Amino acid sequence: MHQENEDRSFKVEALARVEGEGGLTVKMKDGKVADVQLRIFEPPRFFEAFLRDRQFTEAPDITARICGICPVAYQMSASHAMEDACGVTVGGALRDLRRMLYCGEWIESHTLHVYMLHAPDFLGYDSGIHMAKDFPDIVERGLRLKKIGNTLMTLLGGRSVHPVNVRLGGFYRVPTRSEMAALKPDLEWAREAALQTVQWVAGFEFPDFEQDYTFVSLRHASEYPINEGRIVSNKGLDIAISEYEQHFAEEHVAHSTALHSRLDGNKLYFVGPMARYNLNFDRLPDAVQKAAEAAGLRQQCRNPFQGIIIRSLEILYACEESLRIIDNYKPPKLPSVAVPPKDAIGYGCTEAPRGLLYHRYRIEGNGKIREAKIVPPTSQNQRIIEDDLSRLIPKIIDFPQDKLKHRCEQAIRNYDPCISCSTHFLDLKIEEAD
Amino acid sequence: MNISKPKLAVFKFASCDGCQLTLLNCEDALLSIAGEIEIAHFLEASSAVQAGPYDLTLVEGSITTPQDAERIQEIRKQSKKLISIGACATAGGIQALRNFKNVDDFISVVYAHPDYIDTLDTSTAISEHVRVDFELRGCPIDQAQLIELITALLQSRKPNIPTHSLCMDCKQRGMVCVMVSQGTACLGPVTHAGCGVLCPACNRGCYGCFGPMETPNTASLRTSWEKLGIATKTIDQAFCGINANAPAFRKEHDASGK
């Protein structure tokens, strides 16, 4: 599993409680960290290649298959990119329904991570299922909360994994007012459960690990960002989605089938719930801001171990937002607007549960896809994860081997890495450098 | 402590994690399933990992690398019963679209250093590499079918998983046919049942994510689509999707001379 030597280099062959397959190699030399490699050995699937020559209308269904945990994110980035190419904007109730479908995915994905994948690290269990023996009520609360996220996705998307009801321009079928209203009792329970989740995780013990990160997320004029906005950072970046590739570049490294991303030359950056929170605290409704304050968070949070609190706050937000949308809902006359193809390039960027998800397509007037580019959140976070580990390990190098390895894995899980997505992503190895 | 609980293992190959997530999505049944079996290897959910042998192994994903082609052999040796779950594991998945193109071209589209990438020319089903005791279809698999399958195997009985077409399920539910009433192209007449007729229920034609039914008449469906005025290339692409490498669908999109 791992090896120990004088230099304390180590390896985790296969990381658990992450989505997809990867490992970690930490190389030590003279008591110092020489190299940290998040190894992604998820086999490549070549989505960007086989999207070529497919019809532009197929992109939401095909790209959903990149990730079973966040298919809506792929469907939304693809739809927005195609609509951008064709000069179509989707507004009103259809826009709200898309936002609510995405809220369902945030609830489902964040709850899975908070309860089943990350909380066991803080409480010393191998899994959420093992945790259930000592904390049955808490785990059952998590499972019910997760299920409500899935219920929401099932109503709006037809099913929760790879929804069938999303199309360019909107949906195949839209729900009735009574179908929407029927979700309210569950969502009201979920809002309370999310608040309890925030209070529960706020009581965990967090290692002291604050860093001066460059956070990158969308920012919208009036809303907490999900589907639209400009791409901004806390270090002065403020660009349109179409300018993404002028500032962000991907690099292919030998130890990973996920491409590494860089910002403006060689800057490391951080995407995901913590980035969204730091850049958009003022866009959160009062109830969520108050819950954050009660949990001991300020408007800025730079300790990635506290990401579990922010993820819980976003669950609360997604419940609030869904309830707001249900209350305002009037079914649109048509379930979708027409999206006639154009010979053009389109850009789409949305906030997947794990962060910024960028799509660009070039399509022909007959609707054929000529070129596709997809940058998933985990490949953007890969270098910041490696950087966190290289800063963390010297602080904990005197820990016993199993505790050291466990803390490294916990630090990786701070980012809720989704390896299936990022392949073009993780196993922990620490080795002695040559 | 019950020492005779059967051991369950879940392994992943090239895939999106969605079928494993379907197991974690059995929120109401998850803790009771976990009470009946011992989760011996399920990396997505647990860091506790036990060595084989396993009584029941669920395999997600397709074989796309030389290492994975070897790994599945070892997993088979460690497994009393091996079930492949989902379109990737039962047919090669959407990534099997590489089987019909030059994989080197694919690598160079996505990766700057093709020499770092070690991949096979094809994405293939688990059953093309080892003996498989049951194939559960779908992209993703259906939760109720998964629970039925695990329960049946724990009780040593045959699982009740029908092999007829989606079209039959639609008729049984008394739904209005989207192809007859709206002229919407639908793969329902040749697609394996199990999803719960999701697409027709959304006024959409089935796009075949459960793969071919037992003995489908794809040629006849092609004729019906042609009568709706659908272009040959579009029909070919419909068969050449998530289950492109399933033999019955492969035969149909190969037949028109692509």
Side-chain angles (χ1 to χ4, degrees):
Chain A
M1 186 80 195
H2 58 260
Q3 66 207 47
E4 193 164 3
N5 57 48
E6 288 175 344
D7 255 350
R8 311 219 56 201
S9 290
F10 65 97
K11 223 173 209 190
V12 174
E13 291 291 350
L15 284 162
R17 281 183 280 129
V18 294
E19 292 104 1
E21 304 216 331
L24 175 66
T25 304
V26 177
K27 291 185 178 164
M28 305 288 293
K29 195 169 171 91
D30 303 328
K32 288 185 177 157
V33 181
D35 193 24
V36 177
Q37 292 186 345
L38 200 54
R39 291 184 292 113
I40 294 188
F41 45 83
E42 182 80 24
R45 290 181 289 154
F46 309 113
F47 276 86
E48 289 151 309
F50 63 64
L51 278 160
R52 290 184 172 192
D53 290 344
R54 303 295 299 203
Q55 277 294 307
F56 78 131
T57 48
E58 294 184 286
D61 289 322
I62 291 177
T63 59
R65 266 70 189 186
I66 292 174
C67 179
I69 325 284
C70 55
V72 170
Y74 284 88
Q75 294 186 327
M76 291 296 118
S77 285
S79 299
H80 280 88
M82 293 303 181
E83 290 154 12
D84 178 51
C86 304
V88 171
T89 310
V90 174
L94 290 173
R95 180 183 188 277
D96 278 354
L97 287 172
R98 282 179 162 180
R99 196 167 167 82
M100 184 167 150
L101 174 63
Y102 222 138
C103 283
E105 181 160 286
W106 278 21
I107 296 171
E108 191 280 325
S109 175
H110 280 358
T111 307
L112 173 70
H113 190 257
V114 167
Y115 280 85
M116 305 303 282
L117 310 183
H118 210 194
D121 278 333
F122 290 91
L123 301 174
Y125 292 89
D126 287 325
S127 74
I129 295 163
H130 291 91
M131 207 166 78
K133 292 194 177 79
D134 297 331
F135 298 98
D137 296 348
I138 287 179
V139 172
E140 278 175 20
R141 180 178 71 201
L143 288 172
R144 184 172 170 198
L145 188 53
K146 182 168 156 322
K147 187 181 177 185
I148 291 171
N150 281 331
T151 305
L152 217 149
M153 291 169 80
T154 302
L155 174 66
L156 301 179
R159 70 179 162 202
S160 62
V161 179
H162 306 329
V164 301
N165 191 30
V166 170
R167 69 187 303 177
L168 300 186
F171 297 88
Y172 289 91
R173 174 192 178 272
V174 290
T176 62
R177 279 188 80 160
S178 60
E179 284 174 319
M180 289 282 270
L183 290 174
K184 277 187 78 169
D186 268 350
L187 274 164
E188 280 160 0
W189 178 90
R191 175 166 60 184
E192 188 54 36
L195 197 55
Q196 289 166 7
T197 305
V198 174
Q199 293 158 353
W200 174 56
V201 299
F204 292 171
E205 204 175 305
F206 298 102
D208 184 16
F209 190 73
E210 294 213 337
Q211 307 296 326
D212 180 22
Y213 293 112
T214 299
F215 293 114
V216 173
S217 81
L218 288 178
R219 181 160 170 88
H220 182 271
S222 57
E223 301 166 323
Y224 197 72
I226 297 182
N227 266 324
E228 295 161 28
R230 288 175 67 80
I231 300 170
V232 304
S233 81
N234 55 330
K235 304 278 170 79
L237 183 78
D238 182 355
I239 58 170
I241 290 168
S242 59
E243 296 171 297
Y244 178 92
E245 286 171 70
Q246 294 165 33
H247 295 268
F248 297 85
E250 288 182 293
E251 175 198 25
H252 187 193
V253 296
H255 67 270
S256 173
T257 49
L259 301 172
H260 281 196
S261 288
R262 299 161 182 272
L263 163 62
D264 287 336
N266 194 23
K267 285 185 207 146
L268 299 177
Y269 66 102
F270 184 139
V271 300
M274 189 168 278
R276 290 194 285 264
Y277 176 91
N278 278 286
L279 293 163
N280 296 283
F281 181 86
D282 58 341
R283 298 286 187 261
L284 286 167
D286 284 352
V288 182
Q289 290 188 354
K290 286 203 175 80
E293 281 158 22
L297 287 192
R298 301 192 179 142
Q299 298 191 12
Q300 300 292 311
C301 174
R302 298 175 186 283
N303 182 349
F305 288 90
Q306 290 180 305
I308 193 169
I309 310 178
I310 292 173
R311 233 167 243 119
S312 305
L313 287 163
E314 285 197 340
I315 300 171
L316 175 62
Y317 173 72
C319 295
E320 294 269 3
E321 182 67 358
S322 299
L323 284 162
R324 184 191 69 77
I325 289 170
I326 292 171
D327 284 339
N328 292 337
Y329 181 62
K330 290 193 185 72
K333 286 205 176 69
L334 290 170
S336 66
V337 297
V339 185
K342 264 188 190 169
D343 197 335
I345 297 175
Y347 306 87
C349 195
T350 69
E351 286 286 349
R354 289 152 196 82
L356 213 59
L357 170 61
Y358 172 80
H359 287 217
R360 167 176 54 79
Y361 299 97
R362 186 155 68 86
I363 61 172
E364 294 178 357
N366 60 11
K368 199 197 262 187
I369 300 173
R370 294 300 323 158
E371 202 180 307
K373 184 175 176 74
I374 296 169
V375 187
T378 297
S379 74
Q380 303 184 69
N381 274 339
Q382 204 175 334
R383 287 182 72 224
I384 200 79
I385 298 174
E386 291 178 346
D387 190 66
D388 271 8
L389 290 166
S390 64
R391 290 169 195 272
L392 175 70
I393 291 163
K395 293 176 195 255
I396 58 172
I397 196 66
D398 295 330
F399 280 18
Q401 184 79 11
D402 56 341
K403 205 174 160 201
L404 172 65
K405 175 177 160 279
H406 169 259
R407 182 51 61 82
C408 287
E409 291 193 47
Q410 183 182 9
I412 293 166
R413 285 191 280 266
N414 286 339
Y415 291 82
D416 187 8
C418 183
I419 299 171
S420 302
C421 279
S422 56
T423 296
H424 305 278
F425 190 66
L426 201 117
D427 155 54
L428 177 64
K429 290 186 178 177
I430 297 201
E431 292 175 337
E432 189 172 11
D434 300 326
Chain B
M1 191 175 178
N2 187 348
I3 51 163
S4 62
K5 276 189 190 175
K7 280 176 150 183
L8 173 81
V10 183
F11 289 96
K12 174 183 157 58
F13 290 85
S15 67
C16 78
D17 276 54
C19 291
Q20 294 185 68
L21 182 66
T22 302
L23 179 56
L24 287 172
N25 277 351
C26 301
E27 290 95 357
D28 296 328
L30 186 63
L31 296 180
S32 42
I33 292 173
E36 295 299 319
I37 54 177
E38 186 175 350
I39 298 177
H41 188 288
F42 186 6
L43 273 180
E44 179 165 330
S46 175
S47 358
V49 171
Q50 297 176 33
Y54 310 109
D55 295 291
L56 174 58
T57 298
L58 303 176
V59 177
E60 175 194 271
S62 65
I63 304 298
T64 61
T65 67
Q67 297 85 336
D68 278 355
E70 284 173 26
R71 187 162 62 104
I72 190 64
Q73 298 294 338
E74 188 51 35
I75 290 170
R76 174 70 259 190
K77 282 183 202 149
Q78 296 293 328
S79 307
K80 282 189 192 151
K81 284 218 184 318
L82 187 149
I83 312 296
S84 52
I85 58 169
C88 298
T90 61
I94 187 95
Q95 59 271 17
L97 291 179
R98 75 170 70 178
N99 302 7
F100 315 108
K101 299 266 167 115
N102 182 337
V103 79
D104 292 332
D105 292 345
F106 270 32
I107 297 173
S108 63
V109 169
V110 181
Y111 294 102
H113 298 285
D115 48 310
Y116 295 170
I117 299 294
D118 189 12
T119 186
L120 297 170
D121 292 343
T122 55
S123 168
T124 45
I126 300 303
S127 63
E128 293 194 29
H129 299 264
V130 296
R131 183 174 53 83
V132 168
D133 296 289
F134 196 92
E135 291 190 309
L136 191 61
R137 305 287 202 82
C139 182
I141 55 170
D142 177 74
Q143 203 181 98
Q145 289 201 335
L146 178 64
I147 293 173
E148 161 61 16
L149 181 59
I150 293 175
T151 311
L153 291 167
L154 290 175
Q155 296 169 345
S156 301
R157 64 171 171 82
K158 191 169 178 275
N160 176 19
I161 295 180
T163 57
H164 60 238
S165 71
L166 175 87
C167 205
M168 293 269 289
D169 278 7
C170 227
K171 302 290 170 288
Q172 278 174 3
R173 286 175 51 156
M175 298 190 36
V176 177
C177 177
V178 295
M179 199 146 88
V180 171
S181 69
Q182 302 169 22
T184 302
C186 180
L187 284 176
V190 298
T191 297
H192 197 286
C195 67
V197 297
L198 298 174
C199 288
C202 295
N203 281 321
R204 171 184 189 179
C206 163
Y207 63 100
C209 63
F210 272 60
M213 65 179 292
E214 225 171 50
T215 62
N217 191 344
T218 51
S220 166
L221 185 67
R222 178 182 285 277
T223 309
S224 308
W225 280 33
E226 281 166 349
K227 284 182 190 153
L228 295 172
I230 295 167
T232 302
K233 163 111 185 162
T234 309
I235 302 176
D236 288 338
Q237 283 204 335
F239 286 107
C240 194
I242 292 159
N243 285 283
N245 202 45
F249 283 3
R250 180 174 187 149
K251 188 174 126 254
E252 194 54 44
H253 61 81
D254 274 353
S256 79
K258 269 185 353 129

